[in-house]
Amino acid sequence: MTVDRRLSAPFPDQDDAKPFLVVLTICNAILAIAALGLCGLGLYCLLLAQDVKGTIELLTDMPLVMVAYIIMLIGAISAVACFAGFYGAYTDNDKHRRTGLYSFLFFVFAGFLVLLCMSIFLYLYGTKQVLNDIVRDRWFEEGQQPLEKRIDYQDYFECCGWETPFDSRASGYSTPCPRSNPESCLDSTLDFFEANFLPLSLFGLALGICQFLAVVATVLVLRAKKKMFDDFETFEF
């Protein structure tokens, strides 16, 4: 006789998915905290980007403010997805569990792709080639206004010159440098991005890896539940 699972008690082997649910619950709790931390880091970067954009006119073409907003958005989406996954792993209602886990799977996978692209973008954007493309030609312009831009740049990063500390002192540029043994502004800017944005990109990559592991755990849970119901449907006695 074939048993209708809708009229029968659950099989004891439904506990097979519990280890994965425990792992998924712990992962989601940790990831939710990390996602909120990413929102905080995005807010810090936003304040920093607005300060740079408002002070250093030569860096206005760098999309630092846009990147900060996207980081905050990714953190918010990841946090919502993690709470959905946490609820899906914690609840005993199978319908709510499937809805929560599928929602978690979708949003985390999408967020993982965006986060991975953004982390790579942040890592590659702080290179000498990119900075030279944005700043170098504007740096070596003649006139009073370009001179004031160079002075503002040098004062903000406490540097002198662009590629060397002396290349802006030549005739036509005549940019004063009151510092002794200064660093070039190119190297100083790279150090600034490395100190403030590289840790954020590494944190994003680490969070993305953790999200990938959470996605794997979610898939295992859903597969275990599907196998249980398939076995339940075909059981005969």
Side-chain angles (χ1 to χ4, degrees):
M1 183 177 68
T2 302
V3 177
D4 187 347
R5 63 181 178 85
R6 294 173 295 181
L7 304 177
S8 306
F11 266 90
D13 63 359
Q14 67 180 343
D15 293 336
D16 291 346
K18 282 188 176 180
F20 297 116
L21 290 174
V22 172
V23 172
L24 186 59
T25 301
I26 296 173
C27 287
N28 274 292
I30 296 173
L31 289 175
I33 296 173
L36 294 176
L38 187 63
C39 289
L41 289 174
L43 179 60
Y44 166 77
C45 288
L46 176 62
L47 297 175
L48 186 64
Q50 288 177 337
D51 181 56
V52 171
K53 184 177 180 179
T55 307
I56 310 301
E57 190 172 347
L58 291 175
L59 290 178
T60 53
D61 289 340
M62 295 194 74
L64 299 178
V65 174
M66 180 194 68
V67 168
Y69 277 121
I70 292 176
I71 291 172
M72 293 174 63
L73 179 62
I74 292 173
I77 293 175
S78 298
V80 172
C82 289
F83 283 121
F86 182 85
Y87 175 75
Y90 184 79
T91 184
D92 292 329
N93 187 300
D94 282 335
K95 182 179 179 180
H96 293 172
R97 174 176 295 168
R98 287 194 297 271
T99 301
L101 293 181
Y102 278 121
S103 298
F104 167 79
L105 193 63
F106 172 77
F107 286 110
V108 167
F109 184 71
F112 167 74
L113 294 178
V114 176
L115 184 61
L116 182 63
C117 294
M118 184 58 61
S119 298
I120 295 174
F121 172 80
L122 285 176
Y123 181 79
L124 296 178
Y125 217 84
T127 62
K128 285 187 176 182
Q129 182 61 45
V130 173
L131 283 174
N132 277 324
D133 292 342
I134 294 175
V135 178
R136 193 179 188 283
D137 290 340
R138 299 174 63 190
W139 181 277
F140 291 105
E141 292 178 353
E142 298 184 10
Q144 183 62 32
Q145 189 173 7
L147 173 62
E148 293 175 357
K149 293 178 182 178
R150 288 193 294 270
I151 293 175
D152 290 339
Y153 200 111
Q154 291 182 160
D155 290 342
Y156 189 90
F157 291 106
E158 297 182 353
C159 57
C160 289
W162 180 242
E163 294 178 338
T164 71
F166 311 104
D167 58 10
S168 306
R169 302 184 190 180
S171 176
Y173 308 123
S174 303
T175 309
C177 181
R179 301 168 184 84
S180 59
N181 298 321
E183 188 177 22
S184 70
C185 287
L186 175 58
D187 292 335
S188 182
T189 306
L190 289 173
D191 292 341
F192 174 82
F193 285 130
E194 183 176 348
N196 292 280
F197 289 94
L198 180 60
L200 179 60
S201 65
L202 294 178
F203 179 80
L205 286 174
L207 179 60
I209 292 173
C210 293
Q211 287 180 334
F212 175 77
L213 295 177
V215 168
V216 172
T218 304
V219 172
L220 291 175
V221 170
L222 295 173
R223 287 186 61 187
K225 297 296 290 182
K226 183 177 184 301
K227 181 179 182 299
M228 181 190 71
F229 285 122
D230 289 345
D231 292 342
F232 207 178
E233 286 178 337
T234 58
F235 180 74
E236 297 182 357
F237 61 91

